[in-house]
Amino acid sequence: MRHLVGAMTAASVFGPAVADPSLECSVQFSSQVEIGQCLIDAETHSEAALDIAMDIARENAADLDEVTRRDVALPALEASHTAWLAFREAECDYAGALSGGGSGTGITIRSCRIEKTRTRITDLMGRL
């Protein structure tokens, strides 16, 4: 039950996802400055939800390790997450580089990070 409560908390912090965070912000705002601030807020929320999802995943992995009397699941999760964080940064830097240094580069990078974070949360919660 405690895992379900955590999952519900992650979902409530995270909220519904739309394919492109910059489009979500464009519905409310029209200037790049406003969209940029909206994305900062959305990224903050997605990072908070990721923290919750990782806490739940860590707890589940630790429980599994305890039951199986092996120290495998939690270290594997930590290694996976470290690699995923590096992937997210590199992938989103690449997406930003494709903007050619234009004024929307920051929006592109932040949107990418939000999208990747949302996908990571879905993946983590799907393995419970």
Side-chain angles (χ1 to χ4, degrees), residues 48-60:
L50 178 60
D51 290 344
I52 292 168
M54 278 300 295
D55 287 346
I56 294 166
R58 283 184 183 109
E59 185 177 331
N60 279 294

Side-chain angles (χ1 to χ4, degrees), residues 9-66:
T9 303
S12 65
V13 169
F14 184 56
V18 175
D20 184 349
S22 64
L23 289 177
E24 293 172 27
C25 291
S26 296
V27 169
Q28 299 174 347
F29 305 105
S30 57
S31 76
Q32 281 191 344
V33 171
E34 292 172 320
I35 292 169
Q37 184 59 54
C38 176
L39 288 170
I40 289 170
D41 295 342
E43 185 174 26
T44 299
H45 291 135
S46 68
E47 287 296 321
L50 178 60
D51 290 344
I52 292 168
M54 278 300 295
D55 287 346
I56 294 166
R58 283 184 183 109
E59 185 177 331
N60 279 294
D63 289 350
L64 178 61
D65 284 345
E66 185 177 329

Side-chain angles (χ1 to χ4, degrees), residues 62-85:
D63 289 350
L64 178 61
D65 284 345
E66 185 177 329
V67 167
T68 62
R69 295 182 185 162
R70 297 171 22 161
D71 189 22
V72 177
L74 186 56
L77 171 64
E78 296 297 348
S80 168
H81 195 62
T82 298
W84 177 83
L85 288 168

Side-chain angles (χ1 to χ4, degrees), residues 106-124:
I107 288 172
T108 299
I109 292 171
R110 198 165 303 270
S111 291
C112 176
R113 285 196 304 247
I114 294 165
E115 288 176 13
K116 299 291 182 215
T117 301
R118 288 175 175 178
T119 300
R120 177 68 172 168
I121 293 166
T122 299
D123 290 346
L124 288 168

